[in-house]
Amino acid sequence: MKRKVPYLKLFFFTVPRRRGIAARLAVLSLVLAAIAAAWCLADLTSQVLLPPQPILALDHYAINRSLKSYLDNISVLIEPSSTVCSDNKRVDVLVLVTSSPKRFAQRQAIRDTWGKYVPAYFVLGLDGPAVEDLTADNYLEAKAYGDMIIFQFLDHYQNLTLKSALMMQWTAARCPSHLDELMLFKTDDDVLVNPWVLRRVVQQNSGKDLIGYRKVNSYLHRDAYNKWYVPRWLHRHDFVPEYLSGTGYLIKGSRLEEILQAAFEVPIINLEDVYFTYIVSKIKLNLTLTHDRRLSPYKPWLPLDCIYWGLASTHSLTPNEILGAWPSIERLGKRYEHGFDNCLYFVNNIWTELYLY
């Protein structure tokens, strides 16, 4: 068996003794210098390999955190000439969908599927801050479908709080006679909505102020590379006891103006769901956040019809996934209208959130 030689020890102790401690210290210094150089090189390499710093678009919040002053300076450029609220018919649920200028495919997928069964309008800003940033394609799309509400502000993920506030303000202004009966469903354009189950959620939670998928005991992200980054100067508390996921939550119509007025007294942050459902609604107004797992921020990893049917909303779907899942939901929905619930046993006895991711 070959014997291992401790080369470093051998080197140290084979230095002639007449050179003494000085020689050994010199060698040790060289070794430490080499280790330090390697450490610095590794650190430099890791910095070079990091992706570029993301565009945070948060500078304006350092100057102004008054929601009211933002809303007072944002005008609506395009909106439907008439809405479901223009009629005298009862409106139980109104869906406003956050979108952005270039997401044509997402909007069209919704129009071709669940948007045919529930009043839905798309809310978006511009690719820039000026009116000239309204693209011809968006203008023609809005005129063709009559379901787009376009505001004059920069459409950016960090401005989602402004967009959500504009949704509430627009609904309160355009549906004043329906607010006592109406529930506003705020959702995203990558969400598949089941209109039949959504209405069931509304009926079963009648009188509740805010309904959604409640997240509990969450920590804010302090990493600037994270999509949900919140700098400490925007919100100093690291911990959020509860809030409703922004992928889709319901607000009682009669509470919209109250929530907005309260928000005018609370400094804005960039996470709209934490801001409106927790900081404003829960902390400022002491409203109850009602959890309903059917308003899910997840999607099935096993795409079975009855798993989809167990949800009122499903998040993070591509346009093709929405189009692919819809025919089964529509078929089940039409049977449900005639008194048949093919998935009743599955949903009541087998369905579990383990099917989601």
Side-chain angles (χ1 to χ4, degrees), residues 25-44:
L25 289 176
V27 173
L28 181 60
S29 298
L30 288 174
V31 171
L32 292 176
I35 293 173
W39 183 278
C40 292
L41 181 61
D43 184 61
L44 179 63

Side-chain angles (χ1 to χ4, degrees), residues 296-313:
S296 177
Y298 310 110
K299 68 177 181 179
W301 58 267
L302 189 62
L304 296 178
D305 297 351
C306 286
I307 295 179
Y308 276 107
W309 184 257
L311 299 169
S313 61

Side-chain angles (χ1 to χ4, degrees), residues 106-118:
Q106 285 80 1
R107 291 190 290 275
Q108 196 57 48
I110 291 173
R111 292 186 185 110
D112 292 339
T113 57
W114 58 266
K116 297 183 292 184
Y117 289 88
V118 64

Side-chain angles (χ1 to χ4, degrees), residues 14-299:
T14 54
V15 174
R17 291 186 179 275
R18 63 178 177 271
R19 296 185 183 178
I21 297 175
R24 290 180 173 83
L25 289 176
V27 173
L28 181 60
S29 298
L30 288 174
V31 171
L32 292 176
I35 293 173
W39 183 278
C40 292
L41 181 61
D43 184 61
L44 179 63
T45 303
S46 66
Q47 293 182 27
V48 171
L49 293 177
L50 280 175
Q53 184 81 9
I55 300 174
L56 299 176
L58 290 170
D59 293 345
H60 57 296
Y61 291 136
I63 301 170
N64 181 9
R65 294 183 60 193
S66 168
L67 178 62
K68 187 177 188 303
S69 68
Y70 281 107
L71 298 191
D72 287 346
N73 289 285
I74 297 175
S75 57
V76 60
L77 300 177
I78 293 178
E79 61 180 324
S81 56
S82 64
T83 69
V84 65
C85 294
S86 304
D87 302 327
N88 292 323
K89 297 179 180 178
R90 179 180 176 83
V91 182
D92 56 350
V93 60
L94 175 70
V95 183
L96 292 189
V97 184
T98 63
S99 191
S100 57
K102 295 178 181 178
R103 292 174 70 87
F104 298 100
Q106 285 80 1
R107 291 190 290 275
Q108 196 57 48
I110 291 173
R111 292 186 185 110
D112 292 339
T113 57
W114 58 266
K116 297 183 292 184
Y117 289 88
V118 64
Y121 302 91
F122 301 97
V123 180
L124 54 153
L126 306 174
D127 275 332
V131 177
E132 293 75 17
D133 294 306
L134 174 64
T135 66
D137 288 338
N138 288 144
Y139 176 81
L140 294 174
E141 181 188 9
K143 291 300 181 183
Y145 293 102
D147 60 2
M148 295 172 67
I149 308 162
I150 304 179
F151 290 97
Q152 186 182 347
F153 77 107
L154 177 63
D155 200 309
H156 190 281
Y157 186 78
Q158 303 296 2
N159 283 336
L160 193 52
T161 304
L162 300 179
K163 188 181 291 186
S164 299
L166 290 166
M167 287 178 161
M168 298 183 208
Q169 187 181 61
W170 185 89
T171 303
R174 298 300 184 274
C175 302
S177 60
H178 295 274
L179 293 181
D180 287 337
E181 66 195 34
L182 173 150
M183 293 291 286
L184 170 63
F185 185 53
K186 176 265 168 191
T187 192
D188 299 336
D189 63 8
D190 60 349
V191 168
L192 171 61
V193 171
N194 182 329
W196 297 275
V197 177
L198 179 63
R199 287 195 169 93
R200 192 190 302 169
V201 169
V202 170
Q203 292 166 2
Q204 293 175 349
N205 291 283
S206 177
K208 303 292 180 60
D209 295 320
L210 292 97
I211 308 118
Y213 193 98
R214 186 172 59 224
K215 298 273 193 173
V216 296
N217 301 329
S218 302
Y219 285 88
L220 296 180
H221 296 276
R222 302 302 188 184
D223 177 10
Y225 287 90
N226 191 286
K227 178 182 179 180
W228 300 282
Y229 168 64
V230 180
R232 198 173 297 279
W233 56 265
L234 258 182
H235 191 68
R236 63 186 179 87
H237 300 291
D238 293 323
F239 181 70
V240 180
E242 62 173 318
Y243 70 96
L244 299 181
S245 171
T247 57
Y249 56 86
L250 290 154
I251 307 175
K252 189 177 180 180
S254 59
R255 291 292 191 183
L256 291 173
E257 291 181 314
E258 183 181 1
I259 291 173
L260 275 176
Q261 289 301 318
F264 292 161
E265 301 175 7
V266 179
I268 194 172
I269 72 168
N270 56 323
L271 296 185
E272 62 87 16
D273 46 10
V274 173
Y275 179 71
F276 279 116
T277 68
Y278 173 65
I279 299 176
V280 176
S281 296
K282 181 66 180 178
I283 299 301
K284 180 73 173 176
L285 296 175
N286 197 31
L287 301 180
T288 300
L289 308 184
T290 300
H291 174 69
D292 196 308
R293 57 95 179 150
R294 291 171 292 185
L295 298 173
S296 177
Y298 310 110
K299 68 177 181 179

